[in-house]
Amino acid sequence: AGAVQKPRADFGLDPAQLGLVFSASIIGLLPGAAVGGRLADLYGRKQVLIGSMLLFGLFSIATALAWDYPTLLLARFLTGVGLGGAMPNLIALSAESVQPKSRNIAVAIMYAGMPFGGLLASIIALVFGATWGWHSIFYFGGIAPLVVAPLLYFLLPESKLFEQRKASAAAGREGVFGALFAGGRATPTLLLWIAYFFTLIVLYFLQNWLPTVVIGAGFTREAASTVQIAFNIGGILGSLGIGYVMDRGPRRTGVALVYLGLIASMVGLAYTKSFTGLILGGFGGGMFSIGGQMVLYGLAPIFYHTLIRGTGLGAAVAVGRLGSVVG
């Protein structure tokens, strides 16, 4: 909540300008994901992941140091480019590190890191926001990846599956269009894009605007942080629980239950007038919006073989970011 309200006060932002600040990082995710996924298929997942982390770490710190509205927008855009480049590589590395039967839970464990990070950010805002101001979120968010990136360089192995396929089939690499639409992939590619687009509309609306909605309903900034914490706890439990179910039951049933749960949570948030209702709605919204996105991240690698997986994932993530901007 502090990260939402304080820049608004410092820079004199109206709601439309604040929305553009949110959208700047999301817009940056689009080229970051598309280019990062393609580079991963050409040069490997590990190198692109580390470069992306350094990029979004540096420009997260630059966000805290921004001196006016244009520099704030630029810093948020370039932070988004780095985040976008990291996502398809994280998904591909997780999916390629396990047997196919465990792919969903592996991606779920990786993806649970996102709401866990959101939970830490909410706690940091609650504990340090009043003393250190909104800058504290972005200092923490920038320093952490800069610390982790060297550890990944020394400790994270490259995808063995990627290295094997690259060595044996380098001459058979497909172009971007062929990777996405040839070999019977046109229909799953388009359906994945539609699903990513609409799921990200809801997810990014909740992630970015839920605190503002709670405060607008007459509750305190501390109450907004509490609802945001419930949202991220729901996301952690949803990612892990739904990933486990998807690996052991019919995928269509799991997908249907996720989206029915998301509809119910959104209706609850729209009509509740109590703080308890907001907490329950936030928890369900996190469980099923973050869980729904995790389902899509787990499904997408199935449709693209190793040498085009980064391209396919990057394109799907990029299309999803268009939904984020709309949200």
Side-chain angles (χ1 to χ4, degrees), residues 105 108-110 112 235-245 294:
I105 191 62
I109 292 170
M110 177 279 296
I236 294 169
L237 297 177
S239 294
L240 297 175
I242 294 167
Y244 180 85
V245 170
M294 187 286 305

Side-chain angles (χ1 to χ4, degrees), residues 71 119 163 190 205 216 238 259 279 282 285 308:
T71 56
L119 174 62
E163 291 182 327
L190 291 174
F205 168 75
Y259 286 104
I279 290 177
I308 60 170

Side-chain angles (χ1 to χ4, degrees), residues 36-37 39-40 43-57 82-94 110 145 148-149 152-153 156-158:
L39 291 176
Y43 303 109
R45 287 61 163 117
K46 177 178 175 178
Q47 295 181 64
V48 181
L49 173 61
I50 292 172
S52 298
M53 290 186 66
L54 293 173
L55 185 65
F56 73 71
L83 286 167
M87 279 309 303
N89 289 283
L90 286 168
I91 300 166
L93 278 167
S94 299
M110 177 279 296
V148 171
L152 294 182
Y153 179 81
L156 179 70
E158 179 59 274

